[in-house]
Amino acid sequence: MKYEQLAKDIIENVGGEENVNSVYHCITRLRFKLKDEDKANTDTLKNMDGVVTVRQSGGQYQVVIGNHVPDVYKAVAAKGGFEGQEPDDTEENKDKGSLLNRFIDMISGIFTPILSVLVAAGMIKGFLALFVALEWLDTTGGTYQIFNAVGDALFYFLPVILGYTAMKKFGGTPFVGMVIGMALVYPALEGIPQAGEPLYTLFAGTLFESPVYIEFLGIPVILMTYSMSVIPIIVATYFAAKLESFLGKVIPSVVKAFLVPMITLLIIVPLTFIIIGPIATWASQALGQATTSIYELSPVIAGLFLGGLWLVFVMFGLHWGLVPIAINNFSVAGVDPILALIFVHSFALAAAILAVWLKTKNQNTKTLSPPAIISAIFGVSEPAMYGIALPLKRPFIFTLISSAIGGALLGLFGTRGYVLAGLGVFQLPSFIHPEEGLNTAFMGAIVAVIIGSVLSFVLTYFFGGINRIETAPAETEETKETEQSATATAEPNVKNEVIVSPLTGEVKKLADIEDDAFASGALGKGVAVEPAEGKLYAPVAGKVSALFPTQHAIGITSDDGAEILVHIGMDTVQLDGRHFTAHIAQGDRVEIGQVLIEFDVDAIKKEGFVLTTPVVVTNHDQYEITDANEQEVKAQDLLFELKAK
């Protein structure tokens, strides 16, 4: 399994299988519910190869992976025995945090399992709207009708889907929740002729006026339209889960299997039609009106606020409090301004990372930037935000500023979404007006993206302090105490330098080794050595800047500014430290010829690993590197020379 080792390391550092109540994933994150978050090694996880960062929010321990999180999740589930495991929401394991944390945990637990397919369906509807506006498709044609059914089906039957996920979240039987959702959208209940006079609430004459269509045991029933609704089914399944739990305790085991769901449905479904559904629907409509009222009070200010703070909301998981409001707006009004106002953020972030990529001298950042830019354009912001923008600070701040200005422009143009679509470039078709097509509001979205992106790029490129910040060492207790030293190394004044061989063995050209990342020079320029003995010596005098937990790779920053990476063997990280013994620790000072790591050559080869060892300079763009001839070398022989540019 490709991610087996990463999965093993993640499980170990979240406290082991016994510390995990449940785990699932969203688009970019593994979301753990841990029994004790203090047992997790957060710093180790953050620095782990394959992990972008770690967030603790909404009662969840979130390990940010990136776009390939589904594959990592499968490996984690298989390795930890979490496959098929339901989130543990028993009373003793429920999050005891703030009301906001519990609300966010509830909402994310309900919507995360369907988020990908929800976005996919919205994208289909958005592209259909675009094709109709461009007159590529006719709404009366069969092609349109079938594709529209594909995009619209999930939204129409949303109560059925949410019935499953909400019931599951509340600890009930998911299929009971589905049946409740099915009853709410049951076709035979639509179009029933009105059987009585309109029923007025205390808000008579407003949107709360509803006609009585049928009666249930003499009780008037206000039939609402529940297709695409959100709040009624969530409230109904909450009470259904409570009732089911109670019935499970009082009904004999011999008949529990069928009596519990039967009684639950017989009570909750009528109760939903009579009380829960109408009240929840009115609450949904009120929430929609309130959102619209706030937006109409000042669309520009709303855009500044939401556009500027959306990435902050994402960092703390607070965006989950806004997503259901947006879905509710589509349900009750067919239009939503909330998600429209945050449209610029992913493009502004991509533009900031583009500026970093063009200007940085850090090879690792150059390697990370292109995929992060692509992900951001497609609406997945975490790799760019956590991997590059946040560590550099200023690009993140400039992204927020540009997103806020973009949001204000979206509010000024009156841009709104008419279908729930993806983020990034996939969100654009959702702004097409059903009747007016590519109107001013749609064009305004394009203008806002251009202005926000250009502003973010210019600010980051000229004022991002990219290289000054990047070459500074990570902030630790030691660097806090030696601020002057950190400042001195922020912009290293590199000098000519001689690099001696850290190994005894045969020198090979880097381009000839099996690992594409090293062979391409993406990780640095240098050579490779086929070791003849299992001792790795210091090739320069300096400081150990990185020592991998598996002890198979080490980074050293020399006294003259060269950044050297030595990686013992190919894919030897999979050995999990077996056959390696480190004699130094990260942060230690080393001298030329000092033994750093010992490794068992025969044992490693016996397990099927190649020991070809790249020795590369990661800040090679600051040097001219002399070519090394293919030859036999002994440890501390000249390997190659660096000439400062």
Side-chain angles (χ1 to χ4, degrees):
M1 187 179 295
K2 183 177 180 181
Y3 296 105
E4 184 175 2
Q5 183 61 46
L6 177 59
K8 178 182 177 181
D9 293 341
I10 290 174
I11 293 171
E12 179 182 341
N13 286 286
V14 297
E17 295 94 332
E18 64 278 2
N19 194 40
V20 178
N21 279 331
S22 63
V23 58
Y24 61 99
H25 72 89
C26 57
I27 293 178
T28 60
R29 311 179 188 199
L30 294 172
R31 295 175 176 268
F32 288 91
K33 290 284 294 230
L34 301 181
K35 296 175 183 177
D36 185 357
E37 292 189 0
D38 291 337
K39 292 182 178 180
N41 300 318
T42 302
D43 290 338
T44 301
L45 282 166
K46 285 182 176 179
N47 293 315
M48 190 179 295
D49 189 22
V51 174
V52 178
T53 190
V54 173
R55 303 296 308 172
Q56 292 170 263
S57 179
Q60 298 175 344
Y61 192 86
Q62 304 170 11
V63 181
V64 183
I65 300 295
N67 297 347
H68 55 287
V69 69
D71 296 326
V72 177
Y73 169 76
K74 289 178 183 177
V76 168
K79 193 72 177 175
F82 306 129
E83 292 176 304
Q85 184 188 74
E86 306 294 341
D88 188 348
D89 285 325
T90 55
E91 288 301 320
E92 63 269 23
N93 288 315
K94 281 185 179 178
D95 177 48
K96 302 299 183 182
S98 67
L99 181 63
L100 177 61
N101 274 353
R102 294 199 297 271
F103 171 75
I104 291 172
D105 176 62
M106 178 193 73
I107 293 298
S108 63
I110 292 172
F111 284 96
T112 295
I114 66 168
L115 187 59
S116 296
V117 69
L118 195 67
V119 169
M123 287 165 55
I124 292 172
K125 290 177 67 67
F127 281 118
L128 278 177
L130 177 62
F131 296 158
V132 170
L134 296 174
E135 298 184 352
W136 293 353
L137 284 178
D138 184 350
T139 57
T140 61
T143 302
Y144 174 87
Q145 296 294 336
I146 291 176
F147 280 140
N148 188 57
V150 175
D152 204 42
L154 183 142
F155 294 100
Y156 184 88
F157 294 104
L158 190 58
V160 180
I161 307 297
L162 292 180
Y164 181 95
T165 60
M167 196 70 167
K168 183 177 178 180
K169 178 61 182 176
F170 295 137
T173 303
F175 291 110
V176 172
M178 289 185 72
V179 174
I180 297 172
M182 291 173 185
L184 291 179
V185 295
Y186 191 62
L189 291 178
E190 296 185 358
I192 294 179
Q194 183 175 336
E197 294 299 321
L199 178 69
Y200 291 85
T201 67
L202 294 175
F203 303 95
T206 70
L207 61 87
F208 301 103
E209 176 185 343
S210 301
V212 176
Y213 288 90
I214 58 176
E215 292 184 350
F216 176 80
L217 299 178
I219 303 172
V221 177
I222 304 170
L223 289 181
M224 300 286 192
T225 299
Y226 293 109
S227 58
M228 294 185 65
S229 63
V230 173
I231 297 179
I233 186 62
I234 293 177
V235 176
T237 51
Y238 173 81
F239 286 107
K242 297 296 184 184
L243 177 60
E244 189 182 57
S245 177
F246 170 76
L247 293 174
K249 296 175 183 177
V250 300
I251 293 179
S253 299
V254 67
V255 292
K256 184 185 298 184
F258 58 88
L259 276 187
V260 169
M262 184 184 78
I263 296 174
T264 300
L265 291 170
L266 287 176
I267 293 175
I268 293 298
V269 172
L271 191 63
T272 299
F273 277 110
I274 296 169
I275 300 176
I276 297 175
I279 292 177
T281 300
W282 291 330
S284 301
Q285 293 170 340
L287 180 62
Q289 281 198 347
T291 305
T292 303
S293 298
I294 294 173
Y295 171 80
E296 291 178 347
L297 184 65
S298 178
V300 173
I301 293 178
L304 277 170
F305 178 78
L306 287 177
L309 294 180
W310 182 257
L311 285 176
V312 177
F313 293 159
V314 171
M315 286 173 56
F316 294 99
L318 299 177
H319 62 301
W320 281 110
L322 296 174
V323 169
I325 296 176
I327 296 174
N328 178 72
N329 288 339
F330 287 119
S331 172
V332 301
V335 63
D336 170 66
I338 292 179
L339 296 182
L341 295 177
I342 58 98
F343 176 55
V344 173
H345 84 276
S346 56
F347 296 96
L349 180 60
I353 304 307
L354 176 61
V356 171
W357 181 52
L358 293 175
K359 196 168 185 179
T360 183
K361 296 178 180 178
N362 185 294
Q363 186 61 40
N364 185 52
T365 302
K366 276 191 177 294
T367 302
L368 292 174
S369 294
I373 293 169
I374 295 171
S375 295
I377 291 174
F378 289 155
V380 181
S381 59
E382 280 88 344
M385 178 170 67
Y386 291 126
I388 301 173
L390 270 172
L392 296 179
K393 296 182 178 65
R394 291 188 189 179
F396 181 69
I397 294 172
F398 293 148
T399 296
L400 298 185
I401 294 172
S402 304
S403 300
I405 293 174
L409 290 171
L410 289 164
L412 181 65
F413 284 110
T415 304
R416 302 186 184 194
Y418 296 93
V419 294
L420 177 64
L423 296 178
V425 69
F426 296 119
Q427 191 180 5
L428 186 61
S430 71
F431 303 144
I432 299 174
H433 195 282
E435 297 176 359
E436 300 175 11
L438 307 180
N439 58 8
T440 303
F442 177 86
M443 297 302 176
I446 297 176
V447 171
V449 162
I450 293 173
I451 293 176
S453 300
V454 170
L455 180 62
S456 180
F457 178 87
V458 170
L459 288 175
T460 302
Y461 190 87
F462 291 105
F463 307 106
I466 296 168
N467 292 311
R468 177 183 62 82
I469 298 176
E470 277 196 292
T471 54
E475 186 178 33
T476 62
E477 291 301 319
E478 183 177 354
T479 56
K480 288 178 182 178
E481 296 172 359
T482 57
E483 182 178 354
Q484 183 176 358
S485 174
T487 303
T489 59
E491 294 184 8
N493 182 20
V494 297
K495 302 177 182 178
N496 295 344
E497 192 162 1
V498 172
I499 308 299
V500 301
S501 179
L503 298 159
T504 295
E506 179 186 355
V507 178
K508 295 183 176 181
K509 292 182 179 180
L510 205 59
D512 294 336
I513 68 174
E514 297 179 3
D515 188 287
D516 291 339
F518 279 107
S520 66
L523 300 178
K525 298 293 179 66
V527 298
V529 179
E530 189 70 32
E533 62 178 22
K535 288 186 178 181
L536 178 73
Y537 301 84
V540 292
K543 183 178 179 181
V544 178
S545 54
L547 177 64
F548 283 72
T550 50
Q551 303 179 15
H552 74 290
I554 186 172
I556 304 173
T557 301
S558 76
D559 293 338
D560 290 330
E563 297 171 3
I564 310 297
L565 171 64
V566 183
H567 191 288
I568 304 172
M570 301 289 101
D571 296 322
T572 45
V573 65
Q574 298 179 35
L575 290 170
D576 195 25
R578 295 194 307 276
H579 315 310
F580 292 92
T581 302
H583 297 291
I584 37 76
Q586 185 165 324
D588 285 356
R589 174 169 180 78
V590 296
E591 301 296 337
I592 293 178
Q594 179 180 340
V595 177
L596 306 179
I597 300 172
E598 291 187 76
F599 51 97
D600 190 328
V601 174
D602 294 334
I604 294 173
K605 288 183 177 180
K606 189 175 181 179
E607 291 206 32
F609 292 89
V610 175
L611 267 174
T612 306
T613 299
V615 182
V616 299
V617 181
T618 57
N619 60 337
H620 60 87
D621 53 338
Q622 300 180 54
Y623 298 97
E624 292 180 1
I625 303 177
T626 60
D627 293 332
N629 297 322
E630 294 185 28
Q631 56 184 330
E632 295 287 335
V633 295
K634 293 183 179 180
Q636 302 182 51
D637 283 352
L638 172 65
L639 192 62
F640 53 79
E641 295 182 63
L642 303 178
K643 294 183 179 180
K645 292 182 179 179

